[in-house]
C-alpha cells in the first residue's frame, strides 16, 4: 500500500494528541530521506502546536545533507517522563537510531517512552504497536507528505522542498520507480505546485562533491572484482583509503550506478573497513535479486534492491561469507 489510509493518519494524530513533548529521530548515518522525514514530521508537530527536539546520532557524511545538520542535536534534552513521546522515522528498530539519549537522563532509551514508527523499509520489524510501515512506499518522505496533507492541508514551500528532496534522494531522482507509480508522480507534482524547483533539488543532490571523492571513486572502480560469471561485483575501501581521502562527501551512489550499468551485473557490494574490528556494507541490485536478505545476515536491512549493514570483522574475513550468502541468489 503506497497511499496511507485515513485510519492511519488518525492513529498518528491521536498519538500526537496524547503527549506534550516529542523527540523526532531517524537512523544513524542518515541519508536524505531520513533527514527530510524528520524535518517533515517536525513541521507537522509545529503546525499542531507541539514542542519537539530533532535528534540524529550522525555522522552527516553525505554532502547533500550537510546543510541540515545544524537543525539536529546529538543527544536528547527534552525529556519528561509521562509527557514525552518519540517519533522514529525511516527506521523500525530502536537499536538503529544510535546513542542519542544521555546516560544520566531518567529516560536513557527510546524503548522506555511511547514511540511511533514511520518507515518504508522491507526489513522493518517495528517494536511498537503504534506505527505506519509501508514497504511499498518509495520513501518515508512520501508517507510524511501524506500525513501532512491529511492532517494539516497543502504544504508550504519550505516543507514541500525538503520532502521533495527526501523523495528524490531515495528514488534516485525517480529512476528506481517501477510501473504503476502514477500516485508517486502526482504527489511530486503537488510539491512542485507548492513552488519547489526540481532543478535546484537535483543540483543540491549532485553538486558540491570534493575532488577527493572522484579520486576515491577511481580506486574503488580499479578494485572492483566480478564473481558468479560477472553477476556480482564487489569492491572495498580500507582504513588507509579513509585516512588519505577523508570521510567527507563520499559518493557511493555514483559507484553503484556505474557498476550496475555493466553487462550481466545483477548485484553490487561495497565494503568499508570502519575500524580494525568492524565494517559497513552497502548492497545494491537490479530487478529480482533481494539484497535485503543478505544484509540481514550481517546485522543490516533495507529494501529489496538497496540495503546496508554494519558488522564485526575485516574485509578479508567478510568477503567469503558474503559470497556464500549470494550462492543460489544469482
Amino acid at each position: 500500500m503506497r497511499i496511507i489510509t485515513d485510519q492511519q493518519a488518525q492513529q498518528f494524530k491521536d498519538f500526537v494528541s496524547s503527549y506534550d513533548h516529542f523527540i523526532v529521530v531517524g537512523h544513524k548515518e542518515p541519508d536524505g530521506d531520513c533527514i527530510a522525514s524528520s524535518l517533515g514530521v517536525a513541521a507537522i508537530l509545529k503546525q499542531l502546536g507541539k514542542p519537539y527536539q530533532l535528534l540524529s546520532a550522525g555522522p552527516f557524511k553525505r554532502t547533500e545533507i550537510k546543510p541540515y545538520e545544524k537543525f539536529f542535536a546529538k543527544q536528547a534534552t527534552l525529556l519528561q517522563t509521562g509527557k514525552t513521546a518519540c517519533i522514529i522515522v525511516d527506521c523500525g528498530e530502536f537499536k538503529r537510531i544510535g546513542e542519542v539519549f544521555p546516560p544520566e537522563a531518567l529516560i536513557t532509551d527510546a524503548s522506555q517512552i511511547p514511540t511511533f514508527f514511520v518507515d518504508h523499509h522491507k526489513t522493518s520489524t517495528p517494536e511498537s504497536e503504534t506505527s505506519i510501515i509501508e514497504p511499498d512506499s518509495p520513501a518515508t518522505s512520501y508517507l510524511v507528505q501524506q500525513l501532512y496533507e491529511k492532517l494539516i492541508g497543502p504544504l508550504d514551500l519550505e516543507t514541500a522542498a525538503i520532502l521533495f528532496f527526501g523523495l528524490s534522494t531515495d528514488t534516485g531522482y525517480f529512476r528506481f520507480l517501477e510501473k504503476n507509480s502514477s500516485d508517486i508522480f502526482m504527489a511530486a507534482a503537488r510539491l512542485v505546485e507548492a513552488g519547489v524547483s526540481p532543478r535546484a533539488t537535483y543540483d543540491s543532490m549532485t553538486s558540491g562533491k570534493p575532488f577527493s571523492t572522484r579520486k576515491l571513486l577511481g580506486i574503488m572502480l580499479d578494485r572492483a572484482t566480478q564473481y558468479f560469471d560477472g553477476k556480482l561485483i564487489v569492491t572495498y575501501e580500507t582504513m588507509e583509503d579513509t585516512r588519505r581521502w577523508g570521510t567527507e562527501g563520499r559518493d557511493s551512489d555514483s559507484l553503484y550506478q556505474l557498476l550496475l550499468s555493466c553487462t550481466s551485473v545483477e548485484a553490487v557490494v561495497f565494503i568499508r573497513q570502519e575500524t580494525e574490528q568492524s565494517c559497513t556494507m552497502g548492497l545494491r541490485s537490479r530487478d529480482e535479486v533481494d539484497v535485503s536478505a543478505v544484509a540481514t545476515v550481517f546485522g543490516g536491512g533495507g529494501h529489496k534492491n538497496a540495503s546496508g549493514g554494519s558488522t564485526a570483522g575485516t574485509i578479508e574475513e567478510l568477503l567469503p561469507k558474503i559470497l556464500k550468502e549470494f550462492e543460489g541468489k544469482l
Side-chain angles (χ1 to χ4, degrees), residues 196-223:
V196 174
S197 167
R199 178 177 179 176
T201 302
Y202 184 79
D203 284 346
S204 71
M205 290 169 55
T206 58
S207 62
K209 307 292 185 184
F211 177 69
S212 60
T213 64
R214 309 300 95 176
K215 300 287 287 185
L216 185 57
L217 182 60
I219 294 171
M220 301 300 101
L221 291 172
D222 186 55
R223 287 191 185 137

PDB file of all heavy atoms in Angstrom, residues 196-223:
ATOM      1  N   VAL A 196       8.357  24.188  -5.453  1.00  0.00           N
ATOM      2  CA  VAL A 196       9.651  23.507  -5.438  1.00  0.00           C
ATOM      3  C   VAL A 196      10.276  23.509  -6.832  1.00  0.00           C
ATOM      4  O   VAL A 196       9.583  23.308  -7.835  1.00  0.00           O
ATOM      5  CB  VAL A 196       9.493  22.055  -4.945  1.00  0.00           C
ATOM      6  CG1 VAL A 196      10.805  21.295  -5.066  1.00  0.00           C
ATOM      7  CG2 VAL A 196       9.005  22.040  -3.504  1.00  0.00           C
ATOM      8  N   SER A 197      11.572  23.714  -6.903  1.00  0.00           N
ATOM      9  CA  SER A 197      12.320  23.665  -8.159  1.00  0.00           C
ATOM     10  C   SER A 197      12.992  22.311  -8.317  1.00  0.00           C
ATOM     11  O   SER A 197      13.940  22.009  -7.583  1.00  0.00           O
ATOM     12  CB  SER A 197      13.388  24.764  -8.199  1.00  0.00           C
ATOM     13  OG  SER A 197      14.302  24.534  -9.267  1.00  0.00           O
ATOM     14  N   PRO A 198      12.546  21.468  -9.252  1.00  0.00           N
ATOM     15  CA  PRO A 198      13.216  20.176  -9.470  1.00  0.00           C
ATOM     16  C   PRO A 198      14.687  20.345  -9.836  1.00  0.00           C
ATOM     17  O   PRO A 198      15.532  19.556  -9.411  1.00  0.00           O
ATOM     18  CB  PRO A 198      12.421  19.558 -10.624  1.00  0.00           C
ATOM     19  CG  PRO A 198      11.057  20.164 -10.495  1.00  0.00           C
ATOM     20  CD  PRO A 198      11.313  21.584 -10.068  1.00  0.00           C
ATOM     21  N   ARG A 199      15.000  21.371 -10.593  1.00  0.00           N
ATOM     22  CA  ARG A 199      16.394  21.594 -10.997  1.00  0.00           C
ATOM     23  C   ARG A 199      17.266  21.919  -9.790  1.00  0.00           C
ATOM     24  O   ARG A 199      18.365  21.364  -9.632  1.00  0.00           O
ATOM     25  CB  ARG A 199      16.469  22.730 -12.008  1.00  0.00           C
ATOM     26  CG  ARG A 199      17.898  23.057 -12.438  1.00  0.00           C
ATOM     27  CD  ARG A 199      17.930  24.132 -13.497  1.00  0.00           C
ATOM     28  NE  ARG A 199      19.303  24.439 -13.881  1.00  0.00           N
ATOM     29  CZ  ARG A 199      19.641  25.291 -14.837  1.00  0.00           C
ATOM     30  NH1 ARG A 199      18.689  25.915 -15.521  1.00  0.00           N
ATOM     31  NH2 ARG A 199      20.904  25.524 -15.124  1.00  0.00           N
ATOM     32  N   ALA A 200      16.793  22.795  -8.916  1.00  0.00           N
ATOM     33  CA  ALA A 200      17.563  23.152  -7.725  1.00  0.00           C
ATOM     34  C   ALA A 200      17.760  21.942  -6.817  1.00  0.00           C
ATOM     35  O   ALA A 200      18.832  21.768  -6.218  1.00  0.00           O
ATOM     36  CB  ALA A 200      16.865  24.282  -6.970  1.00  0.00           C
ATOM     37  N   THR A 201      16.726  21.102  -6.730  1.00  0.00           N
ATOM     38  CA  THR A 201      16.841  19.897  -5.910  1.00  0.00           C
ATOM     39  C   THR A 201      17.891  18.957  -6.477  1.00  0.00           C
ATOM     40  O   THR A 201      18.724  18.416  -5.740  1.00  0.00           O
ATOM     41  CB  THR A 201      15.486  19.173  -5.822  1.00  0.00           C
ATOM     42  OG1 THR A 201      14.513  20.066  -5.282  1.00  0.00           O
ATOM     43  CG2 THR A 201      15.580  17.928  -4.945  1.00  0.00           C
ATOM     44  N   TYR A 202      17.876  18.758  -7.782  1.00  0.00           N
ATOM     45  CA  TYR A 202      18.859  17.880  -8.414  1.00  0.00           C
ATOM     46  C   TYR A 202      20.274  18.416  -8.211  1.00  0.00           C
ATOM     47  O   TYR A 202      21.202  17.662  -7.926  1.00  0.00           O
ATOM     48  CB  TYR A 202      18.556  17.733  -9.908  1.00  0.00           C
ATOM     49  CG  TYR A 202      19.476  16.759 -10.608  1.00  0.00           C
ATOM     50  CD1 TYR A 202      19.266  15.384 -10.492  1.00  0.00           C
ATOM     51  CD2 TYR A 202      20.550  17.204 -11.377  1.00  0.00           C
ATOM     52  CE1 TYR A 202      20.101  14.476 -11.125  1.00  0.00           C
ATOM     53  CE2 TYR A 202      21.398  16.313 -12.001  1.00  0.00           C
ATOM     54  CZ  TYR A 202      21.176  14.947 -11.881  1.00  0.00           C
ATOM     55  OH  TYR A 202      22.020  14.054 -12.503  1.00  0.00           O
ATOM     56  N   ASP A 203      20.442  19.731  -8.338  1.00  0.00           N
ATOM     57  CA  ASP A 203      21.760  20.335  -8.136  1.00  0.00           C
ATOM     58  C   ASP A 203      22.253  20.112  -6.704  1.00  0.00           C
ATOM     59  O   ASP A 203      23.431  19.834  -6.472  1.00  0.00           O
ATOM     60  CB  ASP A 203      21.708  21.839  -8.432  1.00  0.00           C
ATOM     61  CG  ASP A 203      21.665  22.135  -9.922  1.00  0.00           C
ATOM     62  OD1 ASP A 203      21.946  21.220 -10.711  1.00  0.00           O
ATOM     63  OD2 ASP A 203      21.331  23.280 -10.286  1.00  0.00           O
ATOM     64  N   SER A 204      21.341  20.218  -5.730  1.00  0.00           N
ATOM     65  CA  SER A 204      21.743  20.024  -4.337  1.00  0.00           C
ATOM     66  C   SER A 204      22.132  18.573  -4.072  1.00  0.00           C
ATOM     67  O   SER A 204      22.948  18.298  -3.189  1.00  0.00           O
ATOM     68  CB  SER A 204      20.612  20.440  -3.391  1.00  0.00           C
ATOM     69  OG  SER A 204      19.536  19.532  -3.436  1.00  0.00           O
ATOM     70  N   MET A 205      21.563  17.652  -4.838  1.00  0.00           N
ATOM     71  CA  MET A 205      21.870  16.238  -4.669  1.00  0.00           C
ATOM     72  C   MET A 205      23.201  15.846  -5.307  1.00  0.00           C
ATOM     73  O   MET A 205      23.891  14.951  -4.818  1.00  0.00           O
ATOM     74  CB  MET A 205      20.767  15.380  -5.294  1.00  0.00           C
ATOM     75  CG  MET A 205      19.432  15.404  -4.574  1.00  0.00           C
ATOM     76  SD  MET A 205      18.125  14.616  -5.557  1.00  0.00           S
ATOM     77  CE  MET A 205      18.840  12.991  -5.894  1.00  0.00           C
ATOM     78  N   THR A 206      23.566  16.509  -6.391  1.00  0.00           N
ATOM     79  CA  THR A 206      24.678  16.025  -7.212  1.00  0.00           C
ATOM     80  C   THR A 206      25.907  16.922  -7.223  1.00  0.00           C
ATOM     81  O   THR A 206      26.978  16.482  -7.647  1.00  0.00           O
ATOM     82  CB  THR A 206      24.210  15.839  -8.667  1.00  0.00           C
ATOM     83  OG1 THR A 206      23.708  17.098  -9.174  1.00  0.00           O
ATOM     84  CG2 THR A 206      23.106  14.795  -8.754  1.00  0.00           C
ATOM     85  N   SER A 207      25.807  18.158  -6.776  1.00  0.00           N
ATOM     86  CA  SER A 207      26.945  19.075  -6.849  1.00  0.00           C
ATOM     87  C   SER A 207      27.649  19.188  -5.506  1.00  0.00           C
ATOM     88  O   SER A 207      27.212  18.616  -4.503  1.00  0.00           O
ATOM     89  CB  SER A 207      26.483  20.455  -7.319  1.00  0.00           C
ATOM     90  OG  SER A 207      25.555  21.008  -6.401  1.00  0.00           O
ATOM     91  N   GLY A 208      28.754  19.927  -5.494  1.00  0.00           N
ATOM     92  CA  GLY A 208      29.474  20.181  -4.250  1.00  0.00           C
ATOM     93  C   GLY A 208      30.317  19.027  -3.755  1.00  0.00           C
ATOM     94  O   GLY A 208      30.730  19.013  -2.591  1.00  0.00           O
ATOM     95  N   LYS A 209      30.616  18.057  -4.613  1.00  0.00           N
ATOM     96  CA  LYS A 209      31.429  16.916  -4.190  1.00  0.00           C
ATOM     97  C   LYS A 209      32.912  17.300  -4.173  1.00  0.00           C
ATOM     98  O   LYS A 209      33.416  17.893  -5.124  1.00  0.00           O
ATOM     99  CB  LYS A 209      31.237  15.732  -5.149  1.00  0.00           C
ATOM    100  CG  LYS A 209      29.801  15.320  -5.383  1.00  0.00           C
ATOM    101  CD  LYS A 209      29.158  14.729  -4.158  1.00  0.00           C
ATOM    102  CE  LYS A 209      27.751  14.219  -4.468  1.00  0.00           C
ATOM    103  NZ  LYS A 209      27.055  13.733  -3.277  1.00  0.00           N
ATOM    104  N   PRO A 210      33.641  16.991  -3.107  1.00  0.00           N
ATOM    105  CA  PRO A 210      35.088  17.261  -3.082  1.00  0.00           C
ATOM    106  C   PRO A 210      35.812  16.476  -4.175  1.00  0.00           C
ATOM    107  O   PRO A 210      35.402  15.369  -4.541  1.00  0.00           O
ATOM    108  CB  PRO A 210      35.513  16.764  -1.695  1.00  0.00           C
ATOM    109  CG  PRO A 210      34.258  16.755  -0.887  1.00  0.00           C
ATOM    110  CD  PRO A 210      33.157  16.420  -1.849  1.00  0.00           C
ATOM    111  N   PHE A 211      36.901  17.046  -4.689  1.00  0.00           N
ATOM    112  CA  PHE A 211      37.687  16.379  -5.730  1.00  0.00           C
ATOM    113  C   PHE A 211      38.184  15.022  -5.247  1.00  0.00           C
ATOM    114  O   PHE A 211      38.298  14.070  -6.028  1.00  0.00           O
ATOM    115  CB  PHE A 211      38.871  17.262  -6.134  1.00  0.00           C
ATOM    116  CG  PHE A 211      39.779  16.632  -7.151  1.00  0.00           C
ATOM    117  CD1 PHE A 211      39.347  16.424  -8.453  1.00  0.00           C
ATOM    118  CD2 PHE A 211      41.064  16.234  -6.813  1.00  0.00           C
ATOM    119  CE1 PHE A 211      40.170  15.842  -9.396  1.00  0.00           C
ATOM    120  CE2 PHE A 211      41.898  15.649  -7.742  1.00  0.00           C
ATOM    121  CZ  PHE A 211      41.454  15.457  -9.044  1.00  0.00           C
ATOM    122  N   SER A 212      38.441  14.918  -3.941  1.00  0.00           N
ATOM    123  CA  SER A 212      38.949  13.653  -3.391  1.00  0.00           C
ATOM    124  C   SER A 212      37.985  12.501  -3.624  1.00  0.00           C
ATOM    125  O   SER A 212      38.404  11.345  -3.749  1.00  0.00           O
ATOM    126  CB  SER A 212      39.229  13.803  -1.893  1.00  0.00           C
ATOM    127  OG  SER A 212      38.050  14.165  -1.192  1.00  0.00           O
ATOM    128  N   THR A 213      36.684  12.799  -3.690  1.00  0.00           N
ATOM    129  CA  THR A 213      35.717  11.723  -3.916  1.00  0.00           C
ATOM    130  C   THR A 213      35.850  11.146  -5.321  1.00  0.00           C
ATOM    131  O   THR A 213      35.567   9.969  -5.542  1.00  0.00           O
ATOM    132  CB  THR A 213      34.268  12.214  -3.712  1.00  0.00           C
ATOM    133  OG1 THR A 213      33.942  13.207  -4.700  1.00  0.00           O
ATOM    134  CG2 THR A 213      34.093  12.815  -2.327  1.00  0.00           C
ATOM    135  N   ARG A 214      36.272  11.963  -6.276  1.00  0.00           N
ATOM    136  CA  ARG A 214      36.485  11.460  -7.640  1.00  0.00           C
ATOM    137  C   ARG A 214      37.698  10.521  -7.662  1.00  0.00           C
ATOM    138  O   ARG A 214      37.692   9.498  -8.349  1.00  0.00           O
ATOM    139  CB  ARG A 214      36.728  12.606  -8.620  1.00  0.00           C
ATOM    140  CG  ARG A 214      35.701  13.727  -8.595  1.00  0.00           C
ATOM    141  CD  ARG A 214      34.302  13.268  -8.913  1.00  0.00           C
ATOM    142  NE  ARG A 214      33.539  12.979  -7.724  1.00  0.00           N
ATOM    143  CZ  ARG A 214      32.265  12.637  -7.723  1.00  0.00           C
ATOM    144  NH1 ARG A 214      31.593  12.545  -8.857  1.00  0.00           N
ATOM    145  NH2 ARG A 214      31.629  12.390  -6.602  1.00  0.00           N
ATOM    146  N   LYS A 215      38.739  10.899  -6.898  1.00  0.00           N
ATOM    147  CA  LYS A 215      39.929  10.045  -6.829  1.00  0.00           C
ATOM    148  C   LYS A 215      39.596   8.715  -6.150  1.00  0.00           C
ATOM    149  O   LYS A 215      40.010   7.644  -6.612  1.00  0.00           O
ATOM    150  CB  LYS A 215      41.037  10.764  -6.052  1.00  0.00           C
ATOM    151  CG  LYS A 215      41.469  12.074  -6.666  1.00  0.00           C
ATOM    152  CD  LYS A 215      42.289  11.868  -7.925  1.00  0.00           C
ATOM    153  CE  LYS A 215      43.669  11.377  -7.635  1.00  0.00           C
ATOM    154  NZ  LYS A 215      44.526  11.293  -8.854  1.00  0.00           N
ATOM    155  N   LEU A 216      38.846   8.800  -5.055  1.00  0.00           N
ATOM    156  CA  LEU A 216      38.466   7.588  -4.328  1.00  0.00           C
ATOM    157  C   LEU A 216      37.568   6.708  -5.192  1.00  0.00           C
ATOM    158  O   LEU A 216      37.684   5.474  -5.165  1.00  0.00           O
ATOM    159  CB  LEU A 216      37.755   7.958  -3.031  1.00  0.00           C
ATOM    160  CG  LEU A 216      37.384   6.805  -2.098  1.00  0.00           C
ATOM    161  CD1 LEU A 216      38.614   5.994  -1.709  1.00  0.00           C
ATOM    162  CD2 LEU A 216      36.684   7.328  -0.847  1.00  0.00           C
ATOM    163  N   LEU A 217      36.699   7.319  -5.957  1.00  0.00           N
ATOM    164  CA  LEU A 217      35.830   6.562  -6.852  1.00  0.00           C
ATOM    165  C   LEU A 217      36.666   5.766  -7.854  1.00  0.00           C
ATOM    166  O   LEU A 217      36.368   4.606  -8.156  1.00  0.00           O
ATOM    167  CB  LEU A 217      34.882   7.520  -7.581  1.00  0.00           C
ATOM    168  CG  LEU A 217      33.859   6.909  -8.529  1.00  0.00           C
ATOM    169  CD1 LEU A 217      32.941   5.950  -7.788  1.00  0.00           C
ATOM    170  CD2 LEU A 217      33.037   8.011  -9.204  1.00  0.00           C
ATOM    171  N   GLY A 218      37.730   6.370  -8.351  1.00  0.00           N
ATOM    172  CA  GLY A 218      38.611   5.668  -9.283  1.00  0.00           C
ATOM    173  C   GLY A 218      39.271   4.463  -8.637  1.00  0.00           C
ATOM    174  O   GLY A 218      39.415   3.401  -9.267  1.00  0.00           O
ATOM    175  N   ILE A 219      39.669   4.602  -7.370  1.00  0.00           N
ATOM    176  CA  ILE A 219      40.276   3.480  -6.645  1.00  0.00           C
ATOM    177  C   ILE A 219      39.263   2.350  -6.480  1.00  0.00           C
ATOM    178  O   ILE A 219      39.587   1.165  -6.674  1.00  0.00           O
ATOM    179  CB  ILE A 219      40.791   3.954  -5.278  1.00  0.00           C
ATOM    180  CG1 ILE A 219      41.946   4.933  -5.457  1.00  0.00           C
ATOM    181  CG2 ILE A 219      41.220   2.766  -4.419  1.00  0.00           C
ATOM    182  CD1 ILE A 219      42.378   5.614  -4.191  1.00  0.00           C
ATOM    183  N   MET A 220      38.041   2.693  -6.119  1.00  0.00           N
ATOM    184  CA  MET A 220      37.000   1.676  -5.940  1.00  0.00           C
ATOM    185  C   MET A 220      36.723   0.929  -7.252  1.00  0.00           C
ATOM    186  O   MET A 220      36.533  -0.297  -7.261  1.00  0.00           O
ATOM    187  CB  MET A 220      35.702   2.314  -5.447  1.00  0.00           C
ATOM    188  CG  MET A 220      35.780   3.067  -4.129  1.00  0.00           C
ATOM    189  SD  MET A 220      36.295   2.042  -2.742  1.00  0.00           S
ATOM    190  CE  MET A 220      38.027   2.542  -2.645  1.00  0.00           C
ATOM    191  N   LEU A 221      36.703   1.665  -8.347  1.00  0.00           N
ATOM    192  CA  LEU A 221      36.462   1.027  -9.640  1.00  0.00           C
ATOM    193  C   LEU A 221      37.621   0.108 -10.017  1.00  0.00           C
ATOM    194  O   LEU A 221      37.417  -0.987 -10.565  1.00  0.00           O
ATOM    195  CB  LEU A 221      36.277   2.097 -10.721  1.00  0.00           C
ATOM    196  CG  LEU A 221      34.987   2.929 -10.634  1.00  0.00           C
ATOM    197  CD1 LEU A 221      35.019   4.080 -11.637  1.00  0.00           C
ATOM    198  CD2 LEU A 221      33.766   2.053 -10.886  1.00  0.00           C
ATOM    199  N   ASP A 222      38.851   0.537  -9.696  1.00  0.00           N
ATOM    200  CA  ASP A 222      40.018  -0.277 -10.023  1.00  0.00           C
ATOM    201  C   ASP A 222      40.019  -1.584  -9.235  1.00  0.00           C
ATOM    202  O   ASP A 222      40.475  -2.622  -9.731  1.00  0.00           O
ATOM    203  CB  ASP A 222      41.290   0.526  -9.732  1.00  0.00           C
ATOM    204  CG  ASP A 222      42.544  -0.194 -10.191  1.00  0.00           C
ATOM    205  OD1 ASP A 222      42.616  -0.565 -11.382  1.00  0.00           O
ATOM    206  OD2 ASP A 222      43.444  -0.401  -9.360  1.00  0.00           O
ATOM    207  N   ARG A 223      39.496  -1.551  -8.019  1.00  0.00           N
ATOM    208  CA  ARG A 223      39.476  -2.746  -7.171  1.00  0.00           C
ATOM    209  C   ARG A 223      38.295  -3.669  -7.454  1.00  0.00           C
ATOM    210  O   ARG A 223      38.250  -4.793  -6.971  1.00  0.00           O
ATOM    211  CB  ARG A 223      39.391  -2.327  -5.702  1.00  0.00           C
ATOM    212  CG  ARG A 223      40.676  -1.754  -5.161  1.00  0.00           C
ATOM    213  CD  ARG A 223      40.575  -1.639  -3.657  1.00  0.00           C
ATOM    214  NE  ARG A 223      41.756  -0.983  -3.141  1.00  0.00           N
ATOM    215  CZ  ARG A 223      41.758  -0.052  -2.215  1.00  0.00           C
ATOM    216  NH1 ARG A 223      40.619   0.334  -1.680  1.00  0.00           N
ATOM    217  NH2 ARG A 223      42.879   0.495  -1.799  1.00  0.00           N
TER     218      ARG A 223
END
